């Protein structure tokens, strides 16, 4: 028995014989509800995904910063001074005798790494001039070791705070490297502005992308006593002779280093 409808003889015939097979489409209301539910599910999944991606980027950048910190120490062991920043964007440090431009980008060509962070942006690098110039034992040693830019008594001039105008985290730091994070350097955050104003005061504090002032920068620095300890271990700085002042490895009282003349 065939359907009387010529335009759908086969399929209509089957439905007419088996009414329970008759199909009905979704109403507009049902479709709207389904779309809303899918949207909610997708929205719920996408927020954690972006958070997860930022965490991966931060972890990657943090690992790179640790390697860069190690590379700076290695550079000091080989060259007797810290690298001077790159100030013209070619990845090579810009230095004459002195390291007069102490803030710039990390010299990624000379150091062999550290061109960009995980967000494709350059790192900010600041160094203490006394630790990066080509003058032996700048500032304190009476008879500095030839070829060494700094001595045990040399003082660095970088300070790290826990917020703009906040408490000290570290002082007399020879060099510091900053990734400005996913948001780069927001003008609305005093704490982030402190890391991009090219002076010797920088901020390292807990991450926050919601509560003001926001802060997503990643910061590592060269610890003065680790630097000097490595130089001592390598025999590059001699701890107890007058050449390097009389202050042992206490970098923080280096003001007395001038007494080495006496
Ligand atoms: Ca350069
Ligand atoms: Ca930032
Ligand atoms: Ca600053």
């Amino acid at each position: 028995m065939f359907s009387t409808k010529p335009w759908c003889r086969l399929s209509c015939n089957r439905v007419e014989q088996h009414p329970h097979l008759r199909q009905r489409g979704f109403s507009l209301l049902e479709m709207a509800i389904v779309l809303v539910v899918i949207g909610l599910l997708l929205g719920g999944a996408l927020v954690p995904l972006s958070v997860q991606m930022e965490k991966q980027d931060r972890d990657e950048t943090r690992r790179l910063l640790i390697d860069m910190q190690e590379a700076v120490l290695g550079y000091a062991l080989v060259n007797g001074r810290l690298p001077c920043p790159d100030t013209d964007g070619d990845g090579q440090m810009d230095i004459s005798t002195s390291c007069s431009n102490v803030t710039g980008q990390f010299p990624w060509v000379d150091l062999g790494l550290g061109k960009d962070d995980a967000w494709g942006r350059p790192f900010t690098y600041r160094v203490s001039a006394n630790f990066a110039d080509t003058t032996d034992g700048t500032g304190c040693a009476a008879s500095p070791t030839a070829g060494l830019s700094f001595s045990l008594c040399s003082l660095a001039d970088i300070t790290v705070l826990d917020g703009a105008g906040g408490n000290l985290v570290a002082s007399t730091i020879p060099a510091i490297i900053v990734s400005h994070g996913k948001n780069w350097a927001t003008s609305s955050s005093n704490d982030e502005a402190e890391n991009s104003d090219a002076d010797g005061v920088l901020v390292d504090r807990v991450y926050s992308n919601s509560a003001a002032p926001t802060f997503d920068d990643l910061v590592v620095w060269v610890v003065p006593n680790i630097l000097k300890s490595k130089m001592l271990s390598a025999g590059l700085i001699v701890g107890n002779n007058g050449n390097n002042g009389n202050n042992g490895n206490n970098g923080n009282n280096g003001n007395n280093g001038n007494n080495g003349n006496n």
Side-chain angles (χ1 to χ4, degrees):
M1 187 167 146
F2 294 100
S3 170
T4 55
K5 301 183 180 100
W7 61 88
C8 62
R9 188 153 309 226
L10 289 176
S11 59
C12 295
N13 179 56
R14 189 156 173 261
V15 170
E16 284 169 3
Q17 288 180 44
H18 307 281
H20 63 282
L21 289 177
R22 188 180 302 274
Q23 297 177 346
R24 59 182 278 271
F26 290 109
S27 70
L28 276 178
L29 179 62
E30 289 167 332
M31 285 298 291
I33 291 172
V34 168
L35 287 175
V36 166
V37 170
I38 290 174
L40 287 175
L41 288 174
L42 276 179
L46 285 177
V47 170
L49 185 63
S50 69
V51 170
Q52 186 63 26
M53 286 177 64
E54 184 176 3
K55 181 183 180 306
Q56 287 178 3
D57 288 341
R58 292 179 65 77
D59 289 346
E60 179 188 331
T61 300
R62 199 175 281 112
R63 282 193 294 272
L64 181 54
L65 280 166
I66 302 270
D67 287 344
M68 293 160 73
Q69 180 191 45
E70 192 69 24
V72 169
L73 291 171
Y75 184 92
L77 288 170
V78 172
N79 296 280
R81 58 186 168 85
L82 296 182
C84 203
D86 166 32
T87 55
D88 58 10
D90 66 358
Q92 296 175 286
M93 61 188 77
D94 297 291
I95 180 172
S96 53
T97 301
S98 63
C99 180
S100 50
N101 295 317
V102 291
T103 301
Q105 294 181 9
F106 191 74
W108 43 273
V109 168
D110 294 315
L111 274 292
L113 80 172
K115 184 173 187 292
D116 292 324
D117 61 19
W119 299 276
R121 297 190 180 107
F123 294 89
T124 291
Y125 172 68
R126 192 186 199 279
V127 72
S128 291
N130 283 356
F131 283 68
D133 59 22
T134 58
T135 304
D136 298 337
T138 315
C140 68
S143 305
T145 307
L148 288 187
S149 176
F150 56 94
S151 301
L152 294 178
C153 54
S154 294
L155 272 184
D157 62 4
I158 298 170
T159 299
V160 184
L161 304 177
D162 64 0
N167 299 311
L168 272 175
V169 174
S171 61
T172 63
I173 298 301
I176 192 163
I177 313 166
V178 178
S179 161
H180 295 276
K182 183 183 179 184
N183 74 0
W184 188 232
T186 65
S187 57
S188 59
S189 168
N190 292 339
D191 291 350
E192 297 222 344
E194 194 63 275
N195 286 344
S196 55
D197 62 2
D199 66 9
V201 179
L202 293 98
V203 164
D204 185 30
R205 46 151 276 205
V206 294
Y207 170 92
S208 170
N209 66 358
S210 52
T214 55
F215 188 87
D216 71 352
D217 295 0
L218 292 157
V219 185
V220 299
W221 56 85
V222 171
V223 178
N225 286 332
I226 290 180
L227 171 65
K228 291 174 179 175
S229 168
K230 285 183 179 291
M231 303 299 276
L232 274 168
S233 299
L236 294 172
I237 289 182
V238 181
N240 294 317
N241 67 18
N243 287 345
N244 295 298
N246 297 316
N247 296 314
N249 62 357
N250 187 346
N252 292 328
N253 67 356
N255 287 338
N256 300 321
N258 290 330
N259 295 332
N261 288 325
N262 303 323

